[in-house]
Amino acid sequence: MTIPFIDLKTQYNALKESINSRVLKVLESGAYINGPEVQELETKLAQHTGVKYSLACASGTDSLLIPLMALGIKAGDEVITTAFSFIATAETIVLAGAKPVYVDIDPVTFNIDVTQIEKAITPKTKAIMPVSLYGQVADMDEINAIAKKHNLFVVEDLAQSYGAKYKNKRSGSLTIAAGTSFYPAKPLGCYGDGGAIFTNDDKLFKAMKEIRDHGSESRYYHTRLGLNGRLDTIQCAILLAKMERYDWEVEQRQKIAQNFNQAFAEIKVPGFSYPKVKSDRDSVWAQYTVTVDQREQFQKKLAEMGVPTTIHYPRTMPDQPWYKEHAPATGDISKARWAAEHVISLPLFPDMDRATQDKIIESVLKAVR
Ligand SMILES: *Cc1c(COP(=O)(O)O)cnc(C)c1O
């Protein structure tokens, strides 16, 4: 038996009837763009997240770029973000014309180290873009307090934390704007590229909606610079079906993670650590990521035992070749660099049965020895 890193087939089989009938309905309707499922999904997402507005969009990348554009982030501006994330975070800041200013991470949660943010602020700073990495919301109260003091916008990148709770509020509802991804492997994924934006702000909602559709205020009347950032009706139909059991899926992820945590708490090998979630929040476990000293060896041993792993991420964003040259780090990001060398993610998906969980645990215990 080989374990998949993520099992989307079992999930599809569980939701097959609903997905198939919803997709067929769209196919027969002919409303492939802006069909009624788009608004239906947006209403569901907004309710689930606890915000006034949600906008479905073409990708997680667009879900970050559109808010930055709508907030007026432009050339000459600086946006503070974490050094350790998927590249889209820094990429959208650059695409908006601004300069990403990277802050180091808290090596326990892998999220931005809030004690390092204020020293990165300059007169050019316009926004902070924290990432809720691996499924756990960043220290948003502290980030919002700093932003308020310095008059900055905060845009949460919740591509990995849709549905996560922070002090009884949902990820995506904590900042003026926030963006998530529905890439298939994300906790809530569609069957292609997709994303969504969240906000409570009326004016910003209007601006983001226009930007999503080529900056048009009405048909063929373009009052802003925009892009084609719409989400297809079919993907919205799929997401509506997926949302039917999303809360259950999150519970399953949390149970599996707890099972892993309990087993790995017994490991006393130096250099091994399992993920920690702060007590005032939870995680939707987009990734279950441990750190090990001898990563290559550990990964090889697990592969031999039939356990696939992935490195999220092998380089910090500013250490990627293009960024080294055009958008490099200026401050100390040594903890992010340490993380890039030590993190390794294990398989975790909602339909993972107990035998598979036990096999993973057993293999990890053997591999660290
Ligand atoms: C996946 C991801 C994105 C980008 O989402 P896409 O849908 O792939 O464009 C942005 N930020 C983070 C942290 C991600 O994990």
Side-chain angles (χ1 to χ4, degrees):
M1 178 191 72
T2 54
I3 300 167
F5 188 73
I6 169 166
D7 177 7
L8 294 170
K9 266 191 228 157
T10 307
Q11 185 200 47
Y12 172 61
N13 284 327
L15 290 166
K16 195 169 195 162
E17 253 177 68
S18 178
I19 291 174
N20 287 8
S21 71
R22 285 174 190 269
V23 168
L24 267 178
K25 195 175 152 214
V26 178
L27 292 181
E28 276 161 16
S29 77
Y32 308 128
I33 298 284
N34 288 339
E37 284 82 359
V38 180
Q39 189 116 64
E40 195 186 333
L41 176 70
E42 289 174 342
T43 305
K44 270 238 161 68
L45 290 171
Q47 274 170 1
H48 189 256
T49 300
V51 292
K52 201 164 168 188
Y53 303 110
S54 159
L55 281 164
C57 62
S59 66
T61 306
D62 281 355
S63 81
L64 300 173
L65 178 58
I66 293 170
L68 291 178
M69 289 171 74
L71 289 166
I73 306 296
K74 57 182 189 314
D77 293 344
E78 291 177 2
V79 177
I80 290 173
T81 190
T82 170
F84 193 57
S85 178
F86 177 61
I87 200 64
T89 312
E91 181 182 59
T92 51
I93 295 168
V94 177
L95 285 172
K99 179 181 148 191
V101 175
Y102 309 96
V103 166
D104 210 356
I105 58 163
D106 168 352
V108 175
T109 62
F110 303 102
N111 282 328
I112 192 167
D113 180 351
V114 290
T115 66
Q116 305 299 308
I117 293 177
E118 273 195 295
K119 66 174 98 157
I121 296 173
T122 76
K124 292 178 178 170
T125 309
K126 288 285 151 60
I128 307 172
M129 198 194 290
V131 179
S132 298
L133 204 72
Y134 301 153
Q136 174 175 202
V137 175
D139 294 331
M140 218 52 90
D141 281 357
E142 289 84 349
I143 294 167
N144 280 329
I146 294 166
K148 195 170 173 200
K149 184 171 154 198
H150 297 272
N151 200 21
L152 309 172
F153 299 118
V154 182
V155 178
E156 184 194 7
D157 177 346
L158 69 138
Q160 300 186 11
S161 66
Y162 179 81
K165 287 195 186 125
Y166 175 90
K167 302 182 182 178
N168 289 320
K169 285 185 181 166
R170 296 265 196 195
S171 185
S173 71
L174 306 158
T175 55
I176 182 152
T180 197
S181 167
F182 299 133
Y183 179 81
K186 306 286 174 169
L188 179 62
C190 58
Y191 290 164
D193 281 304
I197 303 164
F198 305 92
T199 190
N200 283 312
D201 188 285
D202 300 317
K203 260 175 83 178
L204 194 62
F205 167 71
K206 183 174 180 285
M208 295 192 298
K209 193 172 179 178
E210 289 170 8
I211 291 168
R212 183 182 65 168
D213 199 5
H214 300 290
S216 48
E217 197 181 274
S218 54
R219 201 165 197 204
Y220 304 133
Y221 190 66
H222 307 277
T223 51
R224 308 170 178 276
L225 177 66
L227 46 86
N228 177 357
R230 297 177 303 251
L231 184 59
D232 309 344
T233 314
I234 289 178
Q235 298 300 345
C236 294
I238 291 160
L239 285 161
L240 281 165
K242 292 255 201 145
M243 282 191 81
E244 288 168 12
R245 61 163 223 174
Y246 185 67
D247 289 339
W248 173 85
E249 286 190 0
V250 170
E251 275 171 37
Q252 291 307 111
R253 285 176 180 277
Q254 289 171 343
K255 279 184 195 160
I256 297 164
Q258 202 182 353
N259 191 21
F260 285 176
N261 283 349
Q262 246 164 33
F264 299 156
E266 304 302 318
I267 297 177
K268 303 296 179 216
V269 178
F272 176 89
S273 78
Y274 63 97
K276 312 285 186 303
V277 177
K278 292 193 172 180
S279 60
D280 56 1
R281 65 202 80 172
D282 65 12
S283 174
V284 294
W285 299 100
Q287 305 300 343
Y288 185 92
T289 305
V290 302
T291 60
V292 279
D293 273 349
Q294 307 279 324
R295 184 170 67 185
E296 230 171 277
Q297 217 182 326
F298 180 76
Q299 186 166 37
K300 196 164 152 263
K301 282 189 197 164
L302 285 179
E304 282 163 8
M305 291 183 268
V307 177
T309 51
T310 309
I311 312 292
H312 303 100
Y313 296 92
R315 277 188 177 80
T316 70
M317 295 189 292
D319 289 330
Q320 291 290 347
W322 188 88
Y323 293 79
K324 258 190 192 165
E325 199 174 326
H326 303 281
T330 44
D332 174 18
I333 58 157
S334 52
K335 295 191 180 82
R337 286 184 174 132
W338 176 87
E341 282 168 12
H342 293 86
V343 292
I344 179 161
S345 306
L346 303 175
L348 192 160
F349 45 83
D351 293 292
M352 184 184 282
D353 59 25
R354 190 64 202 223
T356 306
Q357 294 170 47
D358 290 345
K359 164 100 197 270
I360 292 169
I361 289 170
E362 218 175 278
S363 306
V364 169
L365 296 179
K366 273 189 201 151
V368 287
R369 245 180 251 143

